[in-house]
Amino acid sequence: VISDKPDTTVPKLSRTVPNRNGSIDFKNPELILSFDEAIANKEIKNAIQLSDTSKNKIIFSLNFIDDATMSIKPEIDLKPEKNYELKLDLNYFSDAAGNKVDSTFILKFQTITGVEFTGISGKVTTTKSNVVVVMQDLTDLKKFFIALPDKTSAYSFDRMNSGNYSMWIYSD
C-alpha cells in the first residue's frame, strides 16, 4: 500500500546482539544493532560510546551491514567476565524523512568467562606429508575445525564448544 502522507514514524532499534544484559565473547567481539528501517549513517560514530563499567572508552570500528543494520567491533579484545555498556545518542539516528527521537539507548552486556570452551591437542605420528587433522561435530555435520600440525607434528584445537566430536586425519 502506497501512501501520500508524510512519514512521521521514527526509526526504532528492533534487535541487538547481544541482547540487553546478554553475553558476548571477549575475543573478536562484535555487536550488531538492527533498526526497523534504514537510517542515515553520516556522523553516527560520534553518537556511539562503548565503555567498561569504569567508564574507560573503548575504540571501535563501525560498519554498516545494510542500511538498517550496523556492526560495532572493538579494536582490541575485551576482558573476560567483565561488564560493558554501549550508549547510543538516538538524536543522530534519523531515517530518510529526517525522523529521529531525542533519547539515549543504553545496552549493558558482559563478556563470557572463557571456561565455556574446551580444546584438544596432540601429536600425529605418520610418515605422510601435508597432514590435516579434522574435528567433526557429531550433532552438526556442517560444523568442523581444522588444524595443520606444526614442524614437530603437534596440533591443537582451542576455543571449541564442548560436545561430541569425531576426529579424523588425512594427507592432502
Side-chain angles (χ1 to χ4, degrees), residues 96-149:
N99 298 311
K100 57 188 174 185
V101 61
D102 188 18
S103 69
T104 301
F105 174 81
I106 298 174
L107 174 66
K108 292 184 179 188
F109 64 95
Q110 61 271 347
T111 51
I112 60 174
T113 64
V115 297
E116 296 86 351
F117 298 110
T118 188
I120 188 170
S121 60
K123 200 167 194 174
V124 177
T125 306
T126 183
T127 57
K128 303 273 185 182
S129 59
N130 301 323
V131 173
V132 178
V133 183
V134 180
M135 291 290 290
Q136 179 79 51
D137 187 328
L138 294 177
T139 58
D140 180 359
L141 296 179
K142 293 180 183 176
K143 188 175 176 184
F144 59 91
F145 302 91
I146 295 175
L148 301 174

Side-chain angles (χ1 to χ4, degrees), residues 51-69:
S51 62
D52 61 19
T53 51
S54 299
K55 304 297 180 200
N56 296 313
K57 291 185 181 177
I58 298 167
I59 298 170
F60 60 89
S61 63
L62 174 69
N63 294 303
F64 278 81
I65 297 168
D66 59 37
D67 290 338
T69 307

